[in-house]
Amino acid sequence: MLKYFGADANFSLEGQVAIVTGGANGIGKATTTLFLQKGVKVVIGDYKSDVYDVAKEFGENCLGVQIDVTKDSDRKNLVKQTLDKFGKIDILVNCAGMVALDSAVDVKDEDWDALLAVNVMGTFKMNQEVGRYMIENKINGSIVNIASQAGTIALDKHVAYSVTKAGVISMTKILAFEWGKFGIRVNSVSPTVVLTEMGHKAWDGPAGDAFKKEIPSGRFAETDEIAGPIAFLCSGAAGMITGHDLLVDGGYTIK
């Protein structure tokens, strides 16, 4: 006879409150859409000014806050507005990020600085801000950080970007190790090329066509194909998963 330990086979997220950075577009917007469909109240933090219009379109269970994740005051304001509006935080999804690609001999110092500030420190500081709240308030929360397949394998002209995403993966494991005793799960998701606005800009054309031939599935990912795994990791069905980097790459990294 099977014994069950509380895993939620319905993957329910009903009644939870989530912060999604970078939630006004791309993977973040797809995640926000899915969360709302599953009964989650969502606060979108995004650097774009249209975050307010995006949140308004989603309805009363969504709040938009303009934020620069590199600024301490913005991060604190995002948490405060979430608590003021919805009273708690159960989930944090860090989708905010940036990319700059160049060869290792040509990569610019300012690109390194910007990538490290947003992808590494911005992600860490959001983890720290929300993690501190969860610990102090005994919240059994879930955090998902968006990394990349570039954090696991070597890709041409990706040195600075790849280093930052490898940092996110390492960060995720350490936070999971430290915060597991508080009931907080921390995981990362590492997509292949995703057909966001940035994905189309970088990979439409011959280079993208050639890259897709190296992926066993033969294509790039759609944003909802990343949102689904994020929602799974935040659900009770993933209650024993923490410190894991989930590659959503159509099999590219199995080579």
Side-chain angles (χ1 to χ4, degrees), residues 96-224:
M98 65 170 292
V99 63
L101 306 180
D102 209 342
S103 64
V105 295
D106 294 321
V107 63
K108 301 175 180 63
D109 288 353
E110 53 264 35
D111 287 339
W112 270 105
D113 293 344
L115 286 164
L116 288 166
V118 175
N119 294 356
V120 180
M121 285 306 295
T123 297
F124 171 69
K125 287 295 186 178
M126 281 302 309
N127 274 269
Q128 188 180 54
E129 194 71 35
V130 173
R132 184 181 291 118
Y133 158 80
M134 289 178 172
I135 292 168
E136 291 175 351
N137 291 276
K138 297 180 171 58
I139 301 292
N140 293 329
S142 178
I143 297 173
V144 176
N145 299 314
I146 302 304
S148 169
Q149 66 179 15
T152 299
I153 56 171
L155 291 171
D156 187 42
K157 298 182 179 179
H158 277 64
V159 61
Y161 180 75
S162 292
V163 166
T164 65
K165 291 305 186 177
V168 169
I169 294 168
S170 180
M171 175 199 311
T172 296
K173 294 178 185 294
I174 294 165
L175 295 179
F177 184 75
E178 289 193 11
W179 294 350
K181 62 188 175 185
F182 300 113
I184 301 168
R185 296 185 299 107
V186 189
N187 293 288
S188 56
V189 171
S190 285
T192 183
V193 175
V194 183
L195 294 174
T196 61
E197 179 181 341
M198 182 166 37
H200 280 293
K201 183 177 180 180
W203 293 104
D204 280 354
D209 293 339
F211 194 5
K212 280 184 277 191
K213 291 178 181 178
E214 299 183 43
I215 302 173
S217 67
R219 63 183 180 86
F220 296 145
E222 300 288 347
T223 55
D224 60 343

Side-chain angles (χ1 to χ4, degrees), residues 13 18-21 27-28 31 35 90-96 123 126-127 130 134 141-147 165 168 171-172 175 179 184-191 226-235 238 241-246 248:
L13 294 169
I19 290 175
V20 180
T21 69
I27 295 169
T31 301
F35 276 173
D90 302 291
I91 294 167
L92 169 65
V93 180
N94 284 300
C95 292
T123 297
M126 281 302 309
N127 274 269
V130 173
M134 289 178 172
S142 178
I143 297 173
V144 176
N145 299 314
I146 302 304
K165 291 305 186 177
V168 169
M171 175 199 311
T172 296
L175 295 179
W179 294 350
I184 301 168
R185 296 185 299 107
V186 189
N187 293 288
S188 56
V189 171
S190 285
I226 313 304
I230 292 170
F232 161 69
L233 287 172
C234 294
S235 76
I241 302 176
T242 193
H244 180 68
D245 179 51
L246 178 56
V248 187

Side-chain angles (χ1 to χ4, degrees), residues 73-84:
S73 59
D74 283 13
R75 295 188 298 264
K76 291 183 183 303
N77 180 56
L78 179 60
V79 169
K80 181 179 185 302
Q81 289 209 42
T82 302
L83 296 175
D84 289 347

